[in-house]
Amino acid sequence: MLKGVFDQLSELGNLVPRYTGPRCLLERHTVGGCDACHSACPHEAIETPPGSYGVRVDPQKCTGCGLCVQACPTGALEYDLMTPLQSVHDQREQPGNPPPVSPEATLTCVPSGAGGPSLPCLGRVTPALVAAAGAWDVPLTLIHGDCAACPVGRADVPERLGAVVEQAQTLRAATGRPVRVTVRAAVPEDQGRALKVSRRGAFTSLLRAGGRQLSQNLPERPLPFVDWSDPPQRTPQEWTWRRKALKPVPPAGVGVAWPAPLVDEKCIDCPVCANVCPTEAITRELRPEGGVRLLLNLGACTGCMACLHSCPPGAIHEQKEWLLAAFDVQILLRESDHTM
């Protein structure tokens, strides 16, 4: 059983997630730091080298379960989202196309033995992926194996999936259309599930497999290094797709759940909040005539609240909901006539 699991995983390519140092709260020297990835990893594959900042993933220990990515509050660790997103999108019923084998999209884990599109572990499922299924109005079923005995993930994967679904539902509440999602254990009947992909997806998978029989494992697509000089690349795929998943468009006046900072009059105009921001969603502009402006790019904010925890005078507090129009402008957090 275990040999079969690891044989399948070995065909998926590089299982180690991409690490983007500038997004890591340890590299940003945020007050309190962060150990979310280390705490989530079931195999002690996440290391913080002595005398340094940031994290390192040990490729010899990493199984590609994705739990560190799921737990990371800033997108410093991530896998490509496009392949599972495409899989869910392609499984929906579309006008003019024959209906799929079953009325819902499915994602399974390799150890479950279930048929259909599979990931190494459902620890890779994130709120953006679930929310996108809601945007496309496709029911999503997440099928896991015996997590307590799994060599890839950990026993609490179903509970962690529940928290992911809750985050997605909170985000989609503004649209008035919740996600139709089911999380359940695999049953024997699931072994006969067919793989449902588009012609384009099947062709791509065949190319990746070198002409071999189409695999049900969703192919890995390595992520290139982030070009930090290009501001749009500073925003992780996860939060870009959370924003795109706000379909149908929320009605005017309805708040979107998107935790982000506000600044009050206790601000001393120091640069700490901009310095610790992992995506540089907060920018600090020095005015030629003197003074400073703090601006927020809401769509780039991951809601990690490193700015709040690091602010020396405690001038930052969290606003949990924003109107949709706030995503399309630079939000002025503070403007003053002097600088520190």
Side-chain angles (χ1 to χ4, degrees), residues 14 28-29 31 45 59 100 125 134 141 193 207 217 256 323 331:
N14 183 15
R28 285 285 178 174
H29 305 286
V31 171
V125 175
T141 299
R193 286 178 173 268
L207 287 178
N217 300 332
V256 174
L323 296 180
I331 298 169

Side-chain angles (χ1 to χ4, degrees), residues 235-297:
T235 304
Q237 280 188 356
E238 172 69 18
W239 278 267
T240 297
W241 275 93
R242 289 188 192 190
R243 169 71 179 86
K244 289 181 177 180
L246 291 172
K247 304 290 182 183
V249 176
V254 174
V256 174
W258 197 282
L262 284 178
V263 177
D264 63 32
E265 291 304 314
K266 293 193 293 292
C267 178
I268 58 176
D269 301 307
C270 74
V272 170
C273 59
N275 289 346
V276 301
C277 182
T279 57
E280 298 187 8
I282 297 177
T283 52
R284 184 173 182 263
E285 294 183 356
L286 298 177
R287 302 188 299 177
E289 66 276 15
V292 64
R293 301 173 79 225
L294 277 182
L295 300 169
L296 172 67
N297 176 359

Side-chain angles (χ1 to χ4, degrees), residues 1 106-115 117-123 125 141-150 153-162 182-188 190 193:
M1 165 70 177
T106 65
L107 286 174
T108 74
C109 63
V110 169
S112 73
S118 61
L119 296 164
C121 174
L122 294 187
V125 175
T141 299
L142 303 172
I143 304 172
H144 61 83
D146 181 3
C147 296
C150 182
R154 52 188 287 174
D156 64 350
V157 164
E159 289 75 17
R160 289 172 178 266
L161 279 174
T182 302
V183 178
R184 65 170 177 82
V187 295
D190 290 322
R193 286 178 173 268

Side-chain angles (χ1 to χ4, degrees), residues 120-208:
C121 174
L122 294 187
R124 293 205 186 189
V125 175
T126 65
L129 180 56
V130 176
W136 296 321
D137 198 23
V138 54
L140 177 63
T141 299
L142 303 172
I143 304 172
H144 61 83
D146 181 3
C147 296
C150 182
V152 181
R154 52 188 287 174
D156 64 350
V157 164
E159 289 75 17
R160 289 172 178 266
L161 279 174
V164 166
V165 171
E166 184 177 354
Q167 289 182 61
Q169 297 288 26
T170 299
L171 176 64
R172 289 203 50 77
T175 70
R177 190 169 74 195
V179 187
R180 294 176 287 166
V181 58
T182 302
V183 178
R184 65 170 177 82
V187 295
E189 290 75 17
D190 290 322
Q191 295 181 10
R193 286 178 173 268
L195 175 65
K196 299 171 290 181
V197 295
S198 65
R199 291 181 181 178
R200 179 180 178 183
F203 181 68
T204 301
S205 296
L206 283 170
L207 287 178
R208 288 181 180 275

